[in-house]
Amino acid sequence: MSQPGPAVAGGEEATLQARTVAVGEGQRPYFLVPPAGEAAGIVISLHGRGVTPQFQADLSEMGRLAADGAAVAFPQGSIVRSKNGYSWDRDADVAYLDAVIAAVRAEFPGAAPAVCLAGLSEGGTMASHYAGVRAGEVGVLAAVAGLD
């Protein structure tokens, strides 16, 4: 899927919503499945190399967690790999993930302060790198085939 669209949430469709955050002098996109009701927690799900956040949302089905009160964000890596694919820059994307987490926290101030950070493949590498440099931000790390 190349455009924001449906994401599964507890058997019901929830909308994968496009958002942007300011990073440096520019704007960068991310996608969000808002929680059903009050936010209990924040989940950040990172895509693998050469794919999109929308692909990660479809593959991981983490949007389902919104039914249980999670705000689920799907950021986009900064390196363009193909017409529709992106990768992570371990140095430059730390500030971007800081901005995404800050934006989601601002939108859902009642959510638990530590985030759950998950990633697949290169997204798992970026997730484990981020957890290492921002240990105070991350309460749970789930890296699938991509430890740093």
Side-chain angles (χ1 to χ4, degrees):
M1 174 175 14
S2 62
Q3 297 295 318
V8 177
E12 301 175 14
E13 281 193 3
T15 303
L16 186 61
Q17 300 175 359
R19 301 273 204 284
T20 59
V21 292
V23 181
E25 296 183 14
Q27 295 284 320
R28 295 219 11 223
Y30 71 98
F31 301 87
L32 181 80
V33 178
E38 293 294 315
I42 296 171
V43 175
I44 308 293
S45 181
L46 306 182
H47 63 79
R49 181 180 183 168
V51 296
T52 64
Q54 299 93 328
F55 180 85
Q56 177 69 9
D58 290 344
L59 180 67
S60 70
E61 297 184 0
M62 291 185 109
R64 292 179 182 204
L65 299 172
D68 295 323
V72 186
F74 299 92
Q76 178 175 292
S78 62
I79 301 170
V80 177
R81 290 286 178 202
S82 65
K83 180 179 176 185
N84 292 317
Y86 302 88
S87 290
W88 297 100
D89 181 317
R90 289 172 31 130
D91 297 319
D93 286 338
V94 169
Y96 166 62
L97 292 176
D98 287 342
V100 169
I101 291 168
V104 177
R105 282 184 177 146
E107 188 171 349
F108 304 102
V115 301
C116 171
L117 184 60
L120 173 65
S121 190
E122 186 181 82
T125 301
M126 185 65 204
S128 63
H129 175 71
Y130 185 85
V133 297
R134 296 286 194 269
E137 300 290 323
V138 179
V140 175
L141 170 64
V144 179
L147 292 175
D148 185 25

